[in-house]
Amino acid sequence: KGTQEQLAVLTRIAFADLLIEKGKPASLMLDDALVFADDDRFEVMLEILAEAAQRMQIIILSCRTSAYRGLEAKRLLLA
């Protein structure tokens, strides 16, 4: 499951990049998209997301707030 999740996220980033290359606005919304990633792959995916965030808006919805603390991002907590 983890590999499928990671490929899905990478595919979404690639599609957003295609839109950006064509001059269209693009953003990415992920809802607990890396639940099955092991720790090492999760860290790699965070690096990829941080790099992609330089080109597009990325919104991550997650109940694992501590997992995303390493990212420089604005955080909104919903109660």
Side-chain angles (χ1 to χ4, degrees):
K1 288 269 184 191
T3 302
Q4 290 173 332
E5 282 180 334
Q6 292 152 37
L7 287 173
V9 170
L10 295 172
T11 301
R12 290 176 181 181
I13 292 170
F15 277 119
D17 279 334
L18 286 173
L19 288 172
I20 291 168
E21 286 176 12
K22 294 185 180 216
K24 308 278 184 179
S27 60
L28 191 63
M29 181 175 282
L30 305 173
D31 184 7
D32 267 335
L34 299 171
V35 173
F36 294 107
D38 61 47
D39 291 341
D40 291 335
R41 289 186 180 184
F42 189 84
E43 289 298 320
V44 170
M45 291 302 295
L46 287 183
E47 291 173 13
I48 291 169
L49 288 170
E51 190 267 328
Q54 302 300 314
R55 301 184 305 279
M56 68 189 78
Q57 178 185 38
I58 299 177
I59 299 169
I60 300 173
L61 305 173
S62 180
C63 59
R64 297 173 51 193
T65 56
S66 63
Y68 294 94
R69 284 199 181 117
L71 292 177
E72 289 184 31
K74 182 172 184 171
R75 286 164 182 62
L76 302 174
L77 300 175
L78 302 176

